[in-house]
């Protein structure tokens, strides 16, 4: 079945620095939607923006590389290098050569997938968009002997778009697992959030590693979908250090693996809660 994607590419100017200050600039694009930034915290702040340079994930082109999406039966794309030719050699980052993040503009239908690359540099993944709307796609990669880079583009899924409202929620149930997020989001200072997972009323203490970690957390600012991807702190618990730039509401998505299956829990937090997450 042919998937009806309409591909749109938008440039952005939104600065995000994890572990420091987030700076926000102006964007040019459709009034009804605002592109989002992508930033993944990793050892040594590998995603941190350099002074005077746009942070990663805000444009289809950065560091000389360009994301070129194609309309196929699956989502296909090339990463073109500074010479204009498709890149075919990528370093392994978090056990994969490329990570693809997809989310609808209203903070729904989050996906973290891993495309396969053909010898000619064409990446493809059978992406399933079940609901209509505009989606942001992020390609996160590091070329061999190149800079860590994250590029972003938009795709459109045809149909009757019905945006969703997300109320504040700290608990999510998926496949019989009850996942709870504890901790508060504090503006411009590091906040520790802790994940607790139970099944049938019993704590789950034997999470399996997924992409080299016990969990992956993505946070999106609801107002403009500024994007932050973090990994757990070194701890016996599943903890994340999160620093948000402004007051407001945030959507958070946790990927975790147990019994050989990856599941995603989602939460909605507000900085106005202050002390309600303990």
């Amino acid at each position: 079945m042919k998937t009806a994607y309409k591909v749109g590419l938008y440039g952005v100017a939104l600065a995000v620095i994890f572990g420091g200050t987030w700076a926000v600039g102006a964007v040019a694009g459709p009034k009804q939607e605002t592109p989002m930034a992508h930033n993944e915290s990793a050892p040594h702040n590998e995603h941190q923006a350099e002074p005077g340079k746009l942070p990663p994930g805000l444009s289809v082109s950065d560091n000389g590389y360009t994301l070129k999406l194609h309309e196929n039966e699956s989502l296909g794309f090339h990463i073109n290098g500074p010479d204009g030719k498709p890149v075919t050699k990528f370093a392994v980052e978090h056990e994969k050569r490329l990570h693809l993040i997809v989310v609808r503009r209203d903070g729904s239908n989050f996906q973290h997938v891993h495309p396969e690359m053909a010898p000619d540099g064409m990446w493809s993944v059978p992406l399933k968009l079940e609901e209509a709307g505009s989606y942001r796609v992020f390609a996160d990669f590091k070329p061999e002997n190149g800079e860590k880079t994250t590029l972003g583009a938009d795709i459109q899924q045809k149909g009757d778009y019905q945006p969703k409202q997300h109320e504040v929620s700290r608990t999510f149930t998926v496949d019989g697992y009850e996942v709870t997020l504890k901790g508060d989001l504090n503006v411009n200072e590091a906040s520790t959030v802790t994940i607790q997972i139970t099944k049938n009323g019993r704590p789950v203490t034997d999470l399996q590693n997924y992409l080299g970690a016990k969990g992956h957390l993505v946070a999106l600012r609801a107002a403009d979908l500024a994007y932050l991807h973090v990994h757990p702190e070194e701890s016996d618990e599943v903890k994340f250090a999160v620093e948000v730039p402004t007051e407001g509401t945030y959507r958070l998505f946790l990927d975790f693996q147990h019994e050989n299956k990856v599941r995603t829990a989602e939460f909605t937090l507000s900085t106005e809660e202050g002390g309600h997450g303990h």
Side-chain angles (χ1 to χ4, degrees), residues 101 110 216-220 227-230 251-254:
I101 302 295
F110 172 88
H216 291 260
L217 185 69
V218 170
L220 302 117
Y227 184 99
L228 178 65
H229 188 179
V230 297
R251 292 278 289 156
L252 297 95
F253 301 88
L254 173 75

Side-chain angles (χ1 to χ4, degrees), residues 134-201:
S134 179
Y135 290 76
R136 188 67 172 171
V137 177
F138 290 94
D140 183 350
F141 61 92
K142 184 180 185 302
E144 285 189 1
N145 303 316
E147 294 185 58
K148 178 72 174 175
T149 301
T150 305
L151 304 177
D154 281 356
I155 59 176
Q156 314 298 328
Q157 178 69 359
K158 295 179 181 179
D160 182 17
Y161 173 50
Q162 299 292 332
K164 295 180 180 179
Q165 298 294 324
H166 303 285
E167 301 297 330
V168 171
S169 175
R170 291 177 170 272
T171 300
F172 189 83
T173 300
V174 53
D175 294 344
Y177 293 83
E178 185 173 90
V179 187
T180 302
L181 185 151
K182 294 190 174 183
D184 297 316
L185 299 181
N186 300 313
V187 179
N188 288 327
E189 64 179 70
S191 307
T192 297
V193 297
T194 303
I195 304 296
Q196 295 181 351
I197 302 175
T198 63
K199 187 177 184 181
N200 299 324

Side-chain angles (χ1 to χ4, degrees), residues 198-212:
T198 63
K199 187 177 184 181
N200 299 324
R202 298 180 179 180
V204 175
T205 59
D206 58 343
L207 289 177
Q208 297 165 302
N209 276 358
Y210 174 59
L211 304 177

Side-chain angles (χ1 to χ4, degrees), residues 110 127 258:
F110 172 88
L127 189 64
H258 189 246

Side-chain angles (χ1 to χ4, degrees), residues 55-160:
L58 310 179
S59 170
V60 296
S61 296
D62 193 17
N63 295 330
Y65 299 91
T66 300
L67 172 62
K68 298 200 63 150
L69 297 181
H70 306 276
E71 293 191 64
N72 296 324
E73 292 183 0
S74 61
L75 178 65
F77 59 94
H78 285 99
I79 304 295
N80 286 354
D83 60 359
K85 298 178 180 179
V87 178
T88 59
K89 294 183 178 180
F90 296 83
V92 174
E93 295 272 302
H94 307 299
E95 301 185 352
K96 297 290 182 179
R97 291 183 295 171
L98 187 143
H99 298 261
L100 200 75
I101 302 295
V102 182
V103 66
R104 199 168 70 169
R105 292 290 184 144
D106 63 353
S108 302
N109 303 341
F110 172 88
Q111 296 184 54
H112 178 180
V113 296
H114 301 102
E116 297 292 332
M117 189 190 74
D120 65 355
M122 168 66 86
W123 293 88
S124 62
V125 62
L127 189 64
K128 193 174 183 180
L129 304 180
E130 296 182 343
E131 298 182 2
S134 179
Y135 290 76
R136 188 67 172 171
V137 177
F138 290 94
D140 183 350
F141 61 92
K142 184 180 185 302
E144 285 189 1
N145 303 316
E147 294 185 58
K148 178 72 174 175
T149 301
T150 305
L151 304 177
D154 281 356
I155 59 176
Q156 314 298 328
Q157 178 69 359
K158 295 179 181 179
D160 182 17

